[in-house]
Amino acid sequence: MKKLTGNINVGVFISGRGSNLKELIKYSKKNNTNWKIKLVISNKKEAKGLAYAKKNKITNYAIERKKPQFEKRAFDYLKKNKINLLCLAGFMRILSKEFIRNCKFKIINIHPSLLPKYKGLNTHERAIKAGDKYAGSTVHYVTAKLDSGKKILQTKVKILKKDKPNSLAKRVLKAEHLIYPKAVDVVCNKIV
Ligand code: GAR
């Protein structure tokens, strides 16, 4: 794994809304960070997040292909754009072991739960059902094991009695918007 130094070219994979992508773009511009979003790839061409990339003149692609073809093409774009950090932001596809191994740079992900609790889908519903006091979100390194890599930052959000999965998801998303850019700062400044 290469050390991150100098100006860091960040690639982002999305599948949909892209609100975390939007916050990453905003934060890096506002704070003149040592990392910049240089490439956005979506596995869905209707992903709203692609519009933010376009608006900000960031190279972007939609690759609507089966996993092996998606990964091959995405890998070529990552190389061509000299990406040295990949952020998954609402990317709803599990990357293959081979893809992860071939990427000689770090890959990080934001997941809407207090990992190691509730890996996978429907995290808010599961937290409410279990009667948990807190939900939250975790930014972590991506490894071949789903939602299991080392934690970078985590944020807690109180679960209210009246919460439904949707209302909780909205508050957790707000918290995600604060921690994801900070987690990228952490990774790019080699604190973790
Ligand atoms: C976020 O809540 C993110 O944590 C979650 O999808 C949402 C994407 O929102 N990711 C996962 O569930 C990954 N397993 P966004 O497209 O508005 O950034």
Side-chain angles (χ1 to χ4, degrees), residues 121-139:
L121 299 175
N122 306 319
T123 54
H124 302 310
E125 194 182 322
R126 287 151 74 198
I128 291 171
K129 260 197 189 143
D132 291 358
K133 284 198 171 134
Y134 291 95
S137 177
T138 308
V139 182

Side-chain angles (χ1 to χ4, degrees), residues 16-21 89-92 109-112 120 147 173 176:
R17 182 177 50 194
S19 68
N20 277 292
L21 166 70
F91 181 64
M92 305 308 281
N109 178 43
I110 188 155
H111 181 75
D147 297 331
L173 191 66
E176 294 194 316

Side-chain angles (χ1 to χ4, degrees), residues 9-25:
N9 296 335
V10 177
V12 183
F13 282 5
I14 60 167
S15 296
R17 182 177 50 194
S19 68
N20 277 292
L21 166 70
K22 187 180 181 186
E23 294 305 317
L24 289 172
I25 296 171

